[in-house]
Amino acid sequence: MTPDLGPLLVVDDDEANRDMLARRLMRSGFRVATAASGAEALAHIEANVTELVLLDGEMPGMNGLQVLQEIRKTRSSSVLPVVMVTARNESEDIVEALNLGADDYITKPIDFAVALARIRTQLSRKEAEGRLRESEERYALAAMGANDGLWDWDLASGKIYLSPRWKAIVGAEPEAIGEDPKEWFDRIHPDDLDRVRQHLAAHLKGRSPHFECEHRIRHESGAFRWVLVRGLAIRDAKGGAIRIAGSQADLTSTKILDPLTGLPNHRLLHDRMERALSDQKVQEDKRCAVLLFDLDGLKLINDSLGHHAGDELIQAVAGRLDASLRATDTIVRADAADEATSLRSITEHTLARLGGDEFIILLPDAQEVADVTCVAERLQKLMSQPFDVAGHQIFATASIGIAMSRPGRTNPKELLRDADTAMNRAKISGTGRYEIFDETMRKEVQQRLLLETDLRHAVTREEFVPYFQPIVEMTTGRLAGFEALLRWRHPTRGVVLPGEFVPVVEENGLIVPIGRSCFEQVCRQMREWLDTYACPEHFWVSVNFSRQQFLEDGLLPWLLGCLERSNLLPSHIVVEITESTAVQDLDRTIHVLGQLREAGVKALMDDFGTGYSSLVCLHQLPIGGLKLDRTLLLATEKHPALLETVVGLAVSLGLTVTAEGIETESQCERVAAVGCDFAQGYIFERPVEADKAAEIITANERWLQDLVTPVTFAGRSAQQIALQPAS
Ligand code: C2E
Ligand code: MG
Ligand code: MG
């Protein structure tokens, strides 16, 4: 359940970082205070109730570690959790911070979903510890009369006393269990045994103040139950443990219930899946099915109406699903805060979509595919009625992925993974769909995994290189600059185009190192050209930046560092971002663009006209120009006035216009006629290797001589539109 969204303190000297984090936290329902320095943070903590601190590691004056040390002098981690915010490469600092009493850390650039999950975990832990402290005094008394079993182990004689209640928890009669500690250890789940031994040894050797461990223990029925064991050693004068006694509480019911919905959690599902699959081994014709049911757009509800509304919706959906299924069917929720991590580790490739908006339904007896699709359709129909949530009527849809067991496939993890693959497919095809897993999907997933591995190797083998496509100035018909376009020189496949790998590396984050390497190569290349050839005046190279690259912390200093190392001016480089990058986080985009502009680096809006038509927000963005996408050019073939309007708008905003993807003379004429400043396309040249680009520079060709229609311009001179730093 969402913990109390209490006042958090965000400490960061960088105003932009601080404000962004604070704003996003507030949007997630937290109350947030901010501090710009260590001293301010400490004063704030003294004067105000604070639930948790997000502490930047690097600050002038008192740094994060010093602030942490000060906090820990008066407040323990159970009173005030501290989460450090550090750069990814500062692992030594992270270790030191953890040693000094930090509770967790998040790295920059901040992945907000991860940050949120970590903050919530810390808050829940704190709350739980608070409750525990309160109950500790009552505990001794309660244990006697309550449900806990007791144990007392004489280490000298090696005999252990296990109380009747202890034995009842494991389903044994009082006389059925003797005094040998093996009675206990032999019953512990093999996967948990080492952990229990380690905790016990740590306490006996005096390394931990008490012994406490959760583990599974075998019940007489053969099933495992979850128990919480606690103990305290009695020591001799030298501190050696001579005896240890404690309690054992049965946690099974709390372990198998999802606190938000009251549904069983995935552990029970796992048990039942194992059972269903092993039944199938015995009865060959028996099949079972798993449906992964994912609420579409829960995030939108959380963001717009708050997490409480999201929780309410989940509860309501759970209620409907539960009521509609047969008693023998199992429905569970993959809860983000609880077991989802382990469930998600089953389906590693979707770890990012971690969230509590998924339900898993096991149909233990599903003979035909049609039976299962029938259930899927019924479940989707259930969603067609609106839900009353937080005083609003909400319509929700769900995507469903279905996987059916097959003879010989008896692994629950595989079945879940397949259902997840199918669910992703359902989501891609729209909202409110279902998909059944099939072999083609498995092959696609495998191919994707192979591609990812290949890409990782490609990064280390430096197989990514920029190609260069000339950009022609319309007034003169001459080379104005190049656009750098990434190519993957694959050892066996030859040159691979970005369309195939950029979306993949954008998803797995590799775009950041690849993009950096590409940019550095471009800078070095540019230096070489400037040193060797008579380059055009105002010569520049345009470089594409994906969203992660563009919004990465520290982009500007890194970029300026690259320019400096190659002895380039900011005007030698132009940054291209796409409309979708801009609209996804408008505030931050405006901020970064502003920084670039201040530093004299021009930015262009690429692929203009393909997406969200951000005409509305164009005037807010400190960009220097637009690149009209080829599709816009084609789409306006029959409506020339449209193209004119777009160019007119850009001109009125003081932006330069580049037309992309020019393939024919008539296209060339059109873009010239409406007053585009630059053009780029196969009609001039395809993207080429650096050597060939150098030839283009030396050739100093004049491209537009054969244009039938004289070029008309929207009244701007070449000097005005040349790519001087945007102002
Ligand atoms: P983009 O930035 O819009 O690049 C223009 C694309 O149009 C290039 O495709 C280019 O080869 C292609 N093109 C140029 N002239 C013509 C033409 O006359 N006709 C047609 N049909 N196409 C033309 P490419 O090189 O395959 O790149 C595709 C996209 O991949 C780029 O679109 C850009 O979004 C992305 N990309 C390329 N290099 C990088 C990079 O270094 N970093 C990042 N983040 N993305 C990159
Ligand atoms: Mg581009
Ligand atoms: Mg483009």
Side-chain angles (χ1 to χ4, degrees):
M1 239 176 283
T2 318
D4 175 32
L5 304 177
L8 312 184
L9 178 64
V10 174
V11 190
D12 196 322
D13 59 306
D14 180 324
E15 190 186 358
N17 285 347
R18 191 173 67 228
D19 287 351
M20 186 190 59
L21 192 55
R23 219 168 329 110
R24 297 190 72 171
L25 286 167
M26 281 190 246
R27 255 184 258 144
S28 298
F30 290 92
R31 279 174 286 138
V32 180
T34 56
S37 68
E40 197 181 319
L42 292 172
H44 181 93
I45 292 167
E46 275 316 312
N48 300 280
V49 177
T50 305
E51 287 284 340
L52 179 143
V53 180
L54 280 156
L55 184 54
D56 182 26
E58 285 271 320
M59 288 187 292
M62 202 181 211
N63 71 21
L65 292 178
Q66 290 165 323
V67 178
L68 172 65
Q69 266 175 315
E70 281 310 308
I71 293 178
R72 284 289 171 259
K73 280 185 189 161
T74 55
R75 284 165 177 81
S76 75
S77 141
S78 14
V79 178
L80 183 57
V82 175
V83 175
M84 301 300 292
V85 182
T86 58
R88 188 160 302 190
N89 51 10
E90 291 172 354
S91 56
E92 276 176 25
D93 285 358
I94 293 171
V95 172
E96 199 185 343
L98 293 172
N99 285 337
L100 288 174
D103 297 277
D104 207 342
Y105 65 90
I106 47 186
T107 51
K108 294 180 192 172
I110 293 177
D111 179 334
F112 191 68
V114 172
L116 207 55
R118 294 197 164 165
I119 291 168
R120 291 221 162 94
T121 306
Q122 287 307 325
L123 290 175
S124 317
R125 177 190 58 78
K126 178 184 163 183
E127 199 197 28
E129 285 182 1
R131 278 201 308 263
L132 186 66
R133 257 200 320 280
E134 267 172 41
S135 66
E136 213 124 49
E137 293 92 60
R138 274 176 271 139
Y139 178 71
L141 277 175
M144 309 294 279
N147 263 335
D148 292 6
L150 300 174
W151 51 275
D152 186 352
W153 184 359
D154 183 340
L155 296 169
S157 71
K159 283 188 180 163
I160 192 166
Y161 162 79
L162 300 168
S163 75
R165 173 63 196 146
W166 192 103
K167 294 173 184 173
I169 290 175
V170 297
E173 294 298 325
E175 53 286 350
I177 295 183
E179 293 188 313
D180 191 332
K182 273 165 72 69
E183 297 278 11
W184 175 11
F185 286 92
D186 286 354
R187 284 182 162 81
I188 295 177
H189 193 289
D191 291 351
D192 300 345
L193 190 56
D194 276 351
R195 195 163 41 85
V196 177
R197 285 193 196 283
Q198 279 165 12
H199 280 278
L200 188 60
H203 177 58
L204 291 178
K205 289 187 182 144
R207 290 200 303 265
S208 62
H210 53 261
F211 162 56
E212 181 172 319
C213 190
E214 272 182 38
H215 67 83
R216 285 164 287 182
I217 194 158
R218 196 176 53 254
H219 191 266
E220 288 293 305
S221 68
F224 281 94
R225 299 189 73 80
W226 276 95
V227 290
L228 170 65
V229 194
R230 293 203 186 119
L232 202 61
I234 297 164
R235 297 174 192 278
D236 59 19
K238 287 189 201 142
I242 47 173
R243 202 170 137 185
I244 176 167
S247 63
Q248 168 173 281
D250 187 348
L251 296 182
T252 311
S253 60
T254 57
K255 275 281 171 195
I256 62 169
L257 282 184
D258 164 31
L260 184 59
T261 58
L263 292 173
N265 70 13
H266 91 279
R267 218 162 244 139
L268 183 86
L269 171 84
H270 213 267
D271 288 353
R272 295 208 176 149
M273 278 177 80
E274 266 180 347
R275 204 176 324 141
L277 288 165
S278 62
D279 283 356
Q280 183 186 288
K281 269 192 231 165
V282 187
Q283 283 171 269
E284 289 247 312
D285 59 332
K286 238 184 137 195
R287 294 177 82 187
C288 64
V290 168
L291 283 79
L292 195 58
F293 177 103
D294 185 303
L295 273 182
D296 300 315
L298 181 73
K299 191 177 170 302
L300 198 70
I301 292 167
N302 279 337
D303 289 350
S304 55
L305 300 177
H307 277 273
H308 289 295
D311 285 355
E312 259 186 59
L313 179 64
I314 289 171
Q315 285 167 330
V317 171
R320 278 193 202 172
L321 293 179
D322 203 23
S324 81
L325 291 162
R326 276 190 282 170
T328 49
D329 302 334
T330 305
I331 163 168
V332 305
R333 188 169 81 95
D335 180 12
D338 177 25
E339 308 293 354
T341 4
S342 37
L343 176 69
R344 275 328 187 179
S345 63
I346 296 166
T347 53
E348 291 121 329
H349 59 281
T350 53
L351 197 76
R353 258 187 330 86
L354 197 131
D357 50 353
E358 289 181 352
F359 297 88
I360 302 159
I361 297 154
L362 170 71
L363 309 178
D365 205 356
Q367 294 309 333
E368 302 293 331
V369 176
D371 301 341
V372 186
T373 54
C374 198
V375 174
E377 277 160 22
R378 197 175 76 223
L379 296 181
Q380 274 169 342
K381 210 158 169 202
L382 282 179
M383 307 292 289
S384 60
Q385 294 299 314
F387 292 88
D388 283 322
V389 166
H392 299 265
Q393 282 220 322
I394 287 179
F395 283 91
T397 57
S399 303
I400 301 178
I402 301 171
M404 294 198 65
S405 66
R406 287 180 287 127
R409 186 137 60 95
T410 50
N411 184 343
K413 289 184 181 185
E414 274 179 19
L415 205 55
L416 278 174
R417 190 196 54 206
D418 293 350
D420 193 67
T421 304
M423 203 270 293
N424 281 325
R425 175 62 68 86
K427 274 217 178 271
I428 290 168
S429 47
T431 53
R433 305 282 184 94
Y434 68 82
E435 283 284 347
I436 305 161
F437 180 82
D438 65 24
E439 275 308 306
T440 353
M441 284 186 205
R442 186 201 310 281
K443 290 210 178 92
E444 273 174 29
V445 171
Q446 278 169 349
Q447 262 167 6
R448 166 82 183 223
L449 282 176
L450 285 177
L451 178 63
E452 287 204 22
T453 320
D454 220 6
L455 282 165
R456 280 178 207 284
H457 288 142
V459 174
T460 45
R461 291 195 298 244
E462 300 184 344
E463 289 169 3
F464 295 100
V465 290
Y467 271 38
F468 298 89
Q469 185 177 34
I471 299 169
V472 176
E473 186 175 37
M474 298 299 269
T475 41
T476 59
R478 294 208 191 268
L479 176 72
F482 288 105
E483 175 172 7
L485 292 158
L486 198 56
R487 297 292 180 262
W488 177 12
R489 280 201 189 124
H490 194 281
T492 54
R493 295 174 54 198
V495 176
V496 183
L497 293 176
E500 191 176 327
F501 63 86
V502 165
V504 181
V505 293
E506 280 180 342
E507 203 170 294
N508 66 17
L510 280 178
I511 188 66
V512 174
I514 294 174
R516 282 190 170 215
S517 141
C518 173
F519 187 80
E520 284 159 6
Q521 293 181 60
V522 167
C523 287
R524 286 194 294 270
Q525 188 59 66
M526 186 70 176
R527 182 71 263 154
E528 192 189 312
W529 286 335
L530 291 170
D531 288 342
T532 322
Y533 307 107
C535 294
E537 211 192 341
H538 309 299
F539 186 49
W540 87 96
V541 178
S542 240
V543 184
N544 294 284
F545 279 74
S546 294
R547 197 164 68 94
Q548 293 105 305
Q549 299 173 266
F550 186 71
L551 298 181
E552 195 196 11
D553 282 336
L555 168 78
L556 192 70
W558 166 78
L559 190 146
L560 295 178
C562 291
L563 294 182
E564 200 179 310
R565 276 192 296 282
S566 294
N567 193 18
L568 296 178
L569 299 172
S571 58
H572 284 134
I573 291 291
V574 170
V575 168
E576 292 189 12
I577 60 166
T578 61
E579 268 186 289
S580 55
T581 295
V583 295
Q584 276 194 24
D585 192 341
L586 194 59
D587 293 348
R588 179 120 170 87
T589 305
I590 292 174
H591 176 74
V592 179
L593 285 171
Q595 285 184 326
L596 285 171
R597 168 172 283 193
E598 223 165 273
V601 179
K602 176 160 175 161
L604 299 179
M605 169 87 80
D606 198 359
D607 298 350
F608 188 79
T610 49
Y612 308 78
S613 199
S614 47
L615 283 174
V616 213
C617 62
L618 257 190
H619 70 279
Q620 298 180 43
L621 293 171
I623 48 168
L626 297 184
K627 293 192 82 169
L628 305 185
D629 194 73
R630 175 177 160 72
T631 51
L632 182 75
L633 199 67
L634 299 177
T636 55
E637 229 149 45
K638 295 209 174 66
H639 309 280
L642 258 181
L643 188 64
E644 217 166 305
T645 312
V646 174
V647 176
L649 176 94
V651 171
S652 72
L653 292 170
L655 304 175
T656 62
V657 183
T658 308
E660 280 192 300
I662 308 292
E663 289 182 359
T664 63
E665 278 195 9
S666 72
Q667 288 170 350
C668 214
E669 282 173 34
R670 278 183 65 213
V671 299
V674 294
C676 286
D677 308 300
F678 302 99
Q680 186 182 343
Y682 294 167
I683 190 171
F684 309 115
E685 191 60 82
R686 290 183 176 251
V688 294
E689 286 176 82
D691 292 352
K692 180 85 201 298
E695 286 173 23
I696 296 173
I697 299 174
T698 38
N700 191 19
E701 184 175 352
R702 188 144 176 226
W703 269 293
L704 295 168
Q705 300 190 71
D706 303 332
L707 264 191
V708 189
T709 321
V711 180
T712 51
F713 297 102
R716 283 178 294 169
S717 69
Q719 276 81 0
Q720 271 176 309
I721 56 179
L723 281 176
Q724 73 270 73
S727 52

